Amino acid sequence: MSDILHRVGVKSPPRDTYKALSTRDGLAGWWTTDTKGDCDVGSVIKFQFGERGFIDMKVLELAPAKRVLWQVTGGPGEWIGTKVSFDLAPEDDFTVVRFKHQGWKEPSEFMDHCSTKWATFLMSMKSLVETGRGAPYPNDIHVANKGD
Amino acid sequence: MSDILHRVGVKSPPRDTYKALSTRDGLAGWWTTDTKGDCDVGSVIKFQFGERGFIDMKVLELAPAKRVLWQVTGGPGEWIGTKVSFDLAPEDDFTVVRFKHQGWKEPSEFMDHCSTKWATFLMSMKSLVETGRGAPYPNDIHVANKGD
């Protein structure tokens, strides 16, 4: 098993960062503008990235201002069954977010790509919370050679 | 052992991306402006990030337009002895760079931070090669709460 791990510090109270991770408007502001579905525990949030593909996330845990845990139920084969978590903790006047995308069966070039891409989306989330403006799909930062 | 893995696609021939990874001017253009030392195999390149700290990298392998391998000989304790590699391959009119920072003794919050920070520096390298302008220290993108 391999994991993608990241950490960002967001200049905000944890409740504001949590909002970006646990509401449809929040998620649409940094990951993809085409975000559908409810965000309650047990619901499936549908993230569409145009023709590039989609990801369905079942919400497994929500701890306000502390933690969000999803499991992938639809999307790229390598993603199915993997889990994505965001753990929040206040530090000075920041919220530290530890991100984990865990359960990859094996390292791959696609996983390496997703690691870099997650970093840019986490920076988009940080920007959304700090400035009100993120860079969600289709205005996301391209890291690779297929417009992705 | 844990690894940090990334992948970026740089719109350039491999020789141009390789130059950014294997020359002092190249490295100073995307990682830190304060880069000293020779870049030959066996030499130690000294990367200074102001008061934030420094990293010394011994060059272990250089394969023009294909691969760069360093080993950390000075810097943060968790980095000492770890290896950093860049593997290049042409794909369409891009150079795909697979990045690996391997040999971390165990996952840690600092490693998570370095994973995100490496992604932003790789994007800085991509920008340098594609546009002539990177974002090396002290003009680097801040991902965390201590100005780092």
Side-chain angles (χ1 to χ4, degrees):
Chain A
M1 291 283 192
S2 294
D3 302 334
I4 294 171
L5 302 165
H6 288 295
R7 177 191 186 277
V8 293
V10 183
K11 194 162 188 176
S12 85
R15 66 174 180 278
D16 291 350
T17 298
Y18 179 75
K19 198 175 160 193
L21 301 169
S22 62
T23 65
R24 193 161 52 195
D25 281 353
L27 294 163
W30 66 267
W31 203 17
T32 170
T33 54
D34 190 355
T35 297
K36 295 193 175 113
D38 291 323
C39 294
D40 313 316
V41 171
S43 296
V44 173
I45 315 174
K46 296 176 105 52
F47 300 96
Q48 183 72 44
F49 300 81
E51 294 183 356
R52 220 189 280 166
F54 68 94
I55 296 162
D56 295 339
M57 292 284 195
K58 184 171 183 180
V59 182
L60 296 189
E61 284 180 45
L62 287 176
K66 288 196 178 157
R67 178 171 162 85
V68 171
L69 174 65
W70 298 328
Q71 184 161 34
V72 181
T73 57
E78 297 94 325
W79 280 50
I80 305 287
T82 60
K83 291 180 181 174
V84 172
S85 60
F86 305 85
D87 283 283
L88 282 57
E91 202 173 298
D92 307 324
D93 50 348
F94 281 78
T95 298
V96 169
V97 179
R98 292 189 70 181
F99 168 88
K100 189 187 275 193
H101 185 174
Q102 62 182 308
W104 290 77
K105 289 202 182 82
E106 54 192 353
S108 66
E109 192 160 347
F110 179 56
M111 180 178 155
D112 297 356
H113 163 73
C114 293
S115 175
T116 313
K117 192 74 187 182
W118 269 125
T120 63
F121 276 126
L122 289 166
M123 293 302 288
S124 165
M125 184 273 291
K126 172 177 163 71
S127 174
L128 172 71
V129 177
E130 292 179 349
T131 72
R133 192 185 176 100
Y137 173 91
N139 299 311
D140 52 324
I141 293 171
H142 295 187
V143 305
N145 46 322
K146 298 187 197 302
D148 51 356
Chain B
M1 290 283 190
S2 294
D3 301 334
I4 295 171
L5 302 164
H6 288 294
R7 177 190 186 278
V8 291
V10 183
K11 194 162 188 177
S12 85
R15 66 174 180 277
D16 292 349
T17 298
Y18 178 76
K19 198 175 161 194
L21 299 170
S22 63
T23 67
R24 194 163 49 195
D25 282 352
L27 294 163
W30 66 267
W31 203 18
T32 169
T33 54
D34 190 354
T35 297
K36 294 192 175 113
D38 291 324
C39 295
D40 313 317
V41 171
S43 295
V44 173
I45 315 174
K46 298 175 104 50
F47 300 96
Q48 183 74 43
F49 300 81
E51 294 184 355
R52 220 189 279 166
F54 68 96
I55 295 161
D56 293 340
M57 292 286 196
K58 184 172 184 178
V59 182
L60 297 189
E61 284 180 45
L62 288 176
K66 287 196 178 158
R67 178 171 162 86
V68 172
L69 174 66
W70 298 328
Q71 184 161 35
V72 182
T73 56
E78 297 94 324
W79 280 50
I80 306 287
T82 60
K83 291 180 181 173
V84 172
S85 60
F86 305 83
D87 283 283
L88 281 56
E91 201 173 298
D92 307 322
D93 50 349
F94 281 78
T95 299
V96 169
V97 181
R98 292 189 71 181
F99 168 90
K100 191 187 274 195
H101 184 173
Q102 62 183 308
W104 290 76
K105 290 203 181 81
E106 54 191 354
S108 66
E109 193 160 348
F110 179 55
M111 179 178 156
D112 297 357
H113 164 72
C114 293
S115 174
T116 313
K117 191 76 187 180
W118 270 125
T120 63
F121 276 125
L122 289 166
M123 293 302 290
S124 165
M125 184 273 290
K126 171 178 163 70
S127 174
L128 173 71
V129 177
E130 293 179 349
T131 73
R133 192 186 175 100
Y137 173 90
N139 299 311
D140 53 323
I141 293 172
H142 295 188
V143 305
N145 47 321
K146 299 189 195 303
D148 51 357

